[in-house]
Amino acid sequence: MLGLLIADNDTDARKELADLFIEAGYNVIVTNSAANALYGILKKTAQVVLIGSEFDEFKAGELIPLLKKCDRNLTIILVSDDPSLPVIRKLRKEGIFYHALKPVKPEDKEEIRQVVRCAFENLLSNRPAR
């Protein structure tokens, strides 16, 4: 089963996103620990990651390359307040799938919902036939 990992320091943001995706039927793992995030990726329990800009004493720019080294096919969606354009460019080069702003209003959640759905559809369409 495909898994969605939500990794963020913000407890409220983690809970809100987890509720949204559990309700949508996804297998959701939530953490505020870089070690737990790495473990989930190495064990292949998570194929899509929603990550905040700061996470367990790391900046996303430090953690994303490490996550991609653990699984180069990992789909990473950065969910953050508006970081600078140079940071976003650097993270895109590191292989993030998408950058979304943290949802503020209920209608803002639709963007993240669509991006996650697209990420899983992309993973499924790129899987080798058995």
Side-chain angles (χ1 to χ4, degrees):
M1 179 177 208
L2 295 174
L4 172 67
L5 173 67
I6 300 171
D8 198 325
N9 275 346
D10 184 339
T11 305
D12 294 335
R14 279 195 321 266
K15 182 182 179 343
E16 198 171 308
L17 289 171
D19 290 347
L20 177 70
F21 290 110
I22 289 169
E23 186 177 297
Y26 291 95
N27 180 29
V28 177
I29 305 157
V30 180
T31 187
N32 65 347
S33 159
N36 287 341
L38 290 168
Y39 181 79
I41 291 161
L42 289 170
K43 288 293 190 179
K44 305 287 187 204
T45 55
Q47 294 75 38
V48 175
V49 177
L50 290 174
I51 188 169
S53 57
E54 288 191 24
F55 173 63
D56 196 19
E57 300 179 21
F58 292 97
K59 299 261 187 230
E62 299 167 322
L63 198 54
I64 288 171
L66 183 58
L67 298 176
K68 290 298 272 187
K69 282 183 182 176
C70 291
D71 182 352
R72 65 182 177 88
N73 296 317
L74 185 67
T75 303
I76 300 173
I77 300 165
L78 176 64
V79 182
S80 68
D81 296 328
D82 193 16
S84 70
L85 192 55
V87 171
I88 294 301
R89 284 187 182 133
K90 179 184 181 295
L91 294 176
R92 284 194 177 138
K93 285 180 184 174
E94 296 291 347
I96 65 169
F97 181 74
Y98 192 81
H99 168 245
L101 295 176
K102 279 193 175 187
V104 178
K105 299 175 279 191
E107 57 268 19
D108 296 342
K109 294 178 189 174
E110 186 56 31
E111 176 189 18
I112 293 176
R113 187 181 296 122
Q114 288 180 9
V115 170
V116 168
R117 184 178 65 236
C118 180
F120 279 109
E121 287 172 357
N122 189 43
L123 279 172
L124 293 172
S125 68
N126 290 327
R127 274 191 166 175
R130 292 183 186 212

